[in-house]
Amino acid sequence: MAGSSPPHRQSCQWASPNRSSIIADILGDDRNSEARHKSLLESAKKEHDRVRLEAERVYRQHMQKEEQQRLLEEKQRILEAKRREEERIRLEEHNAAERTRLHALRAKKIEMPPTPKEPEPPKATAPASIPPPVHSSSQATSMNGTTAPQALQTPALFGGNKPTIDSQPATHNSSGVQKPGPASQTTAAIQASAAPNARGKAQNNGPSLQTKPSQAPQTTQSTPQPSTPVTPDRYTVIHQNLKILRKFMIEQAKANKALKERMGDMRREIRKCVGQLTGGAGANRIQQASIINLLREALGNQVGSAPMDPSLFILGPRNPVQGALHNEPQLPSLFFYLLNIFSKATVSQFINEAGAKPETADPVGVCIAFVFSDPEFLWRGASLIDILMAKFRIVCPVLFGYRGNEKTEQGRARLGWWKDNGHWVGDQQHMDRMTGLGAGFAAVSLRKFANSKKDNPYPPRYYWAAMARIVNTPPAEMSNTQCVVLRSMIQNFEHKFIEFYGTAAIVALRMCLVEFPARAPQKTPAVGSLEVLGQVLKRDAGLHL
């Protein structure tokens, strides 16, 4: 009703028994009694025990789950490791099967057809002579005071005779050097082989040296000439004698402890010095001095090595020369052994380094000329560089006029193709070896001695002869190996060649880089590289061939 007072709200007449009991407990008279406290403590202890037991139960469950997870992960790791091992075993079994098939393929031999007889080269008519070149004062002077040829006849490049190839091809060992046929020589046989010309046979005669551009140079020092003609294949006999020398030194070292220790140290030192040769003026003085000192020590023969006849390691016999430091019939065998080690190390340097970088052959060639021209290391007035050339004859026969078919076993053996573990190396490796050896031969034979008191151990006429032997090859017998060697002989050395022979060198370069590749029956990359080199010389040096 409007204006009347609100209805009277009745309060709760009955309180909650729980609420009243709790309040009664709190406000009771015995709330501070000892019994009350003990009751509360017991209640708290029971609650604590309950919470602790629950926590332990939860902890045990957690640990059980962790252990199960760990065991599961361990099982997964074991399964994964087992899978990997099974995969590895499958791969190894597969590789072993493939290797077995590869060995079976390598062991399979296909009989090569016999090499057809080489046709007789046509007799070339002698063309008209080339006008005499005009030389400057620097071009007219050659090694040891000799002069360059004043008139070059064209037959000098075409008049070489084809070498007769041995019926038994040479083989190669793992170091890249051909092995001649089996020899029955012993150490005593070396001492008995003082007459080198008795070794040569008529059927093994190499190319005629009619390819020389001029007469032999007149030197101020009287050097005896061989009494009988010498065949180029004498180099293989020298190479075989060097192998027997090595065995002879090993036998000596067994009985001479001082020789054994010193010989090993000297061998390692020479190899180290040759491996350190580098370009730059005066960069190799320490290495060259070390090699010279070792050779002098070997000549002194303080370790007592047995004497040997030097004629075993040269092309032809020599008579004593007045004023020579060494005219005696024998020299210490350690001296020849070290010259052999030095020669082998330089040839290896040409193969391993100059194959990729032909310009690195020049410092090695300087060191070779420095060592072999030293008057202390001459025998009867002439150098012992035939030891080095014997190794060139084995590893690069095309420099000495030998030819062959690169597709046959015998042809590859004639060309110096290397065998590794009884198998021919690949084409690229063979061409790299020939590149280094061709550059090395040029670095040795194109050394300038005009301002030196020493005699040139290997004058440029040998470079001319090697070039002529290659250019004289009939088109049917041309090979890529010849082209690669010829290119490496010319590249980086054309300026030295022209410096020695002037206009005659330019005519020879035209023969090598224009006419020779034009006669090739097949235009292979090796043949094309000669033509490209001619174009490069025209572009960079202004040399019009």
Side-chain angles (χ1 to χ4, degrees), residues 391-436:
K391 297 188 178 297
F392 266 101
R393 160 63 182 88
I394 299 300
V395 296
C396 193
V398 297
L399 292 171
F400 301 87
Y402 290 87
R403 307 161 188 162
N405 187 346
E406 295 173 335
K407 297 181 180 180
T408 65
E409 294 280 330
Q410 292 183 351
R412 287 190 169 192
R414 293 169 188 160
L415 293 173
W417 205 295
W418 181 37
K419 272 190 174 181
D420 186 10
N421 295 327
H423 302 282
W424 300 111
V425 299
D427 292 355
Q428 186 60 46
Q429 185 175 353
H430 169 69
M431 296 307 172
D432 289 344
R433 286 169 56 85
M434 294 298 108
T435 299

Side-chain angles (χ1 to χ4, degrees), residues 6 24 29 60 63 107 110 118 124 186 244 287 289 321 332 356 403 479 508:
D29 295 337
R60 284 193 298 269
M63 291 303 295
I110 300 176
E118 298 176 352
T186 60
I244 301 176
Q287 289 79 5
V321 177
R403 307 161 188 162
S479 63

Side-chain angles (χ1 to χ4, degrees), residues 123-146:
K123 296 182 179 179
T125 59
S129 61
I130 299 176
V134 179
H135 299 283
S136 63
S137 59
S138 62
Q139 293 174 345
T141 304
S142 181
M143 308 296 195
N144 306 320
T146 61

